[in-house]
Amino acid sequence: MRIDVITLFPEFIDVCARVGVVGRARARGLIEIAMWNPRDFATDNYRSADDRCYGGGPGVVMMIDPLRKALDSARKASGSAQGKAIYLSPQGTRLDQAKVEALARRDHLILLCGRYEGVDERFIEHAVEEEISIGDYVLSGGELAAAILIDAVGRLQEGVLHDAQSASQDSFSDGLLDCPHYTRPERHEWGEVPAVLTSGDHAAIARWRRKQSLGRTWLRRPDLLARLELDPKQRALLDEFRREHEGKTTRDRDSGSGE
Ligand code: 4G4
């Protein structure tokens, strides 16, 4: 996969392109990442890539032409003459794992990072294919949002993850949250590892993990659960979790200080 990033602050993207899972994938040639700075395509002595907002107010907006030249250079370098950009913005469609998986299957992405009040609307109309938001909060620039998207699609590329951390075991890969995980020591003053995990009974372990995934999703993200069609086995596991959970919370209440 090739990713071109249009940004006034390439340093932000650099970190994620150099370290960790994505950095290693890039070093191994599995992902190619190139950065394009609209400032390098400005035509005045100040290398301006932004200008005051029409209609007044304090803000500035990123100008069309430096962005357009940066995009054209990204297109030429990548050999995708018509490629449009993905614009990271709070106004975009919310990113989720299904969208990440769809984007990860493409062989080229062009990401556009806004700064200031964002990008001139005419550039969005002509050169942006979709606007994506990583969540309902505001960042000072689109770079960290782009870095998140690069990380999420990068780790799904063939050959990037080890088998041990395979993407099929992720939270969300089946629409559910992940189960809890434990490592040594088995006994600690903060608690014991659930006995089933040290039993060596692989079927029982798999069943426990599926039950915990369902239970946690039910407790923490009922919105995710509502979108799923559980099969009869899953429904039985979740019922079992709920009964155990009910037992625990009732015991807590009964052994409490009585407030
Ligand atoms: C576009 C318009 C993305 C981009 C305005 C980008 C949050 C997200 C930006 C801005 C971003 C997100 C400066 C407000 C850059 N903030 N939720 N900021 N702002 O995906």
Side-chain angles (χ1 to χ4, degrees), residues 87-91 113-119 132-142 145:
Y87 183 37
L88 286 313
S89 115
Q91 281 73 51
C113 305
R115 282 268 152 183
Y116 319 119
E117 308 309 309
V119 164
I132 292 179
S133 165
I134 59 160
D136 292 338
Y137 40 83
V138 178
L139 306 167
S140 53

Side-chain angles (χ1 to χ4, degrees), residues 132-256:
I132 292 179
S133 165
I134 59 160
D136 292 338
Y137 40 83
V138 178
L139 306 167
S140 53
E143 286 77 10
L144 291 179
I148 281 167
L149 185 56
I150 292 170
D151 188 279
V153 301
R155 62 189 288 284
L156 294 183
Q157 299 305 302
E158 192 69 46
V160 170
L161 290 187
H162 300 297
D163 275 348
Q165 30 172 181
S166 113
S168 64
Q169 295 177 18
D170 286 343
S171 294
F172 306 119
S173 68
D174 53 4
L176 295 171
L177 301 184
D178 203 0
C179 63
H181 301 281
Y182 299 86
T183 187
R184 293 190 302 169
E186 198 177 322
R187 266 174 261 287
H188 186 279
E189 71 176 296
W190 286 356
E192 286 174 17
V193 174
V196 60
L197 296 179
T198 55
S199 68
D201 181 343
H202 297 293
I205 292 170
R207 185 178 187 281
W208 181 87
R209 287 181 170 155
R210 282 195 300 272
K211 183 166 80 178
Q212 295 300 318
S213 276
L214 286 159
R216 289 185 140 189
T217 311
W218 170 68
L219 283 172
R220 300 181 186 188
R221 293 296 304 275
D223 59 311
L224 291 180
L225 205 56
R227 279 194 259 153
L228 294 175
E229 188 88 67
L230 299 187
D231 63 39
K233 275 190 183 147
Q234 288 178 309
R235 231 170 299 144
L237 278 177
L238 179 55
D239 285 342
E240 195 175 303
F241 181 97
R242 290 167 69 165
R243 278 195 301 276
E244 288 167 10
H245 180 76
E246 176 63 23
K248 267 185 216 146
T249 49
T250 309
R251 266 200 308 285
D252 287 349
R253 210 163 43 235
D254 294 347
S255 63

